[in-house]
Amino acid sequence: EDYSRQLATLLEQINYLKSRVRGQQELMSLSIDGYRNLIIQMDLSLTVVSVALCTSTAIAGLFGMNLISGFENSTSAFYIVAAGSAVSSMFVCAVCFHYVSGKRWKREATKRQGQLADLKDALSDVCAFDEILKSISRGEEFNKETFTERLNKCRLDSPVSSEAADCIFELLDTTKDGVLRNQDFTEIQSLILARKESPNDDVAVKVPLTHSD
């Protein structure tokens, strides 16, 4: 039994070290993604500036052709064309940057952050989910409306938003039939067991317990 306990403790330490290694790998991946995003942003900025300069280049090419345009003897045509080229280039550059970093993207990001905050607040009350899971294990079924109503009724804090409740419902509804029942959690349990039995996951070794005389 002592050897079995020591081996179990060793396996737990191995799994803990593996989880720490995975955490460090994820941090390194996030750091690399950050540098990659900076490079992509710089490349995008250079592309936008190149497109803006192409407008001026096209205007210069049109007036650089050896054709009679009527502006050959004009003393102000050069300044007008140069100013028009600069204004058109700045306009194209401003439009492109506004499209890339416009208010629409910021609104989407703010909306996503609000949804994540609502979801975090909804998942903070474990007692409410425990009550719902007990009801489902007893054979009770929930649709989206009854799930949201029961969740808000069981919560000790402020009620959750309908968007957060719908998101949680979609995560729990593994059968995708619009109803939470015991079968959905059977599917979740089977997924957890399949993950544990996978050889690529944490070390899981069955140690036979021997009884000493």
Side-chain angles (χ1 to χ4, degrees):
E1 292 181 356
D2 293 336
Y3 290 114
S4 299
R5 284 194 295 268
Q6 291 178 5
L7 183 57
T9 304
L10 182 61
L11 291 176
E12 291 179 358
Q13 293 177 355
I14 292 174
N15 290 329
Y16 172 71
L17 292 175
K18 288 184 66 177
S19 64
R20 291 193 61 182
V21 169
R22 289 196 192 97
Q24 293 295 329
Q25 289 177 348
E26 292 177 358
L27 289 177
M28 291 295 296
S29 178
L30 290 174
S31 178
I32 294 173
D33 291 338
Y35 285 115
R36 187 183 295 113
N37 291 334
L38 289 176
I39 294 173
I40 293 173
Q41 185 177 3
M42 183 181 296
D43 181 71
L44 180 61
S45 300
L46 292 175
T47 303
V48 170
V49 173
S50 300
V51 171
L53 291 177
C54 285
T55 305
S56 300
T57 305
I59 296 175
L62 290 175
F63 282 91
M65 293 186 296
N66 295 323
L67 298 175
I68 299 175
S69 60
F71 295 101
E72 290 81 6
N73 298 323
S74 176
T75 57
S76 60
F78 172 79
Y79 302 102
I80 295 174
V81 173
S85 301
V87 170
S88 61
S89 297
M90 288 188 291
F91 176 76
V92 171
C93 186
V95 169
C96 292
F97 277 117
H98 178 74
Y99 177 78
V100 172
S101 60
K103 295 181 179 180
R104 182 170 64 89
W105 303 103
K106 294 180 180 179
R107 286 197 300 267
E108 290 292 332
T110 304
K111 182 179 178 181
R112 293 296 181 184
Q113 289 179 356
Q115 290 177 350
L116 289 176
D118 293 339
L119 187 60
K120 181 180 179 181
D121 180 66
L123 294 174
S124 62
D125 196 343
V126 182
C127 296
F129 287 100
D130 183 62
E131 183 67 25
I132 293 176
L133 293 179
K134 288 180 180 179
S135 300
I136 293 175
S137 64
R138 291 193 294 264
E140 191 173 351
E141 297 181 355
F142 294 92
N143 56 20
K144 285 187 178 181
E145 289 76 14
T146 56
F147 175 77
T148 305
E149 182 180 356
R150 178 66 66 86
L151 182 61
N152 289 326
K153 183 179 179 181
C154 297
R155 279 178 59 85
L156 300 176
D157 299 330
S158 59
V160 299
S161 62
S162 59
E163 292 81 4
D166 291 343
C167 182
I168 297 172
F169 184 89
E170 293 294 335
L171 290 175
L172 296 177
D173 186 16
T174 57
T175 57
K176 303 303 178 183
D177 57 355
V179 178
L180 286 182
R181 53 172 65 92
N182 196 20
Q183 181 182 358
D184 294 308
F185 297 95
T186 304
E187 295 289 338
I188 293 176
Q189 290 176 357
S190 63
L191 290 175
I192 294 174
L193 291 176
R195 180 179 176 83
K196 287 183 178 180
E197 294 175 359
S198 177
N200 295 326
D201 292 328
D202 293 342
V203 178
V205 179
K206 296 182 179 179
V207 180
L209 297 178
T210 58
H211 298 281
S212 59
D213 296 334

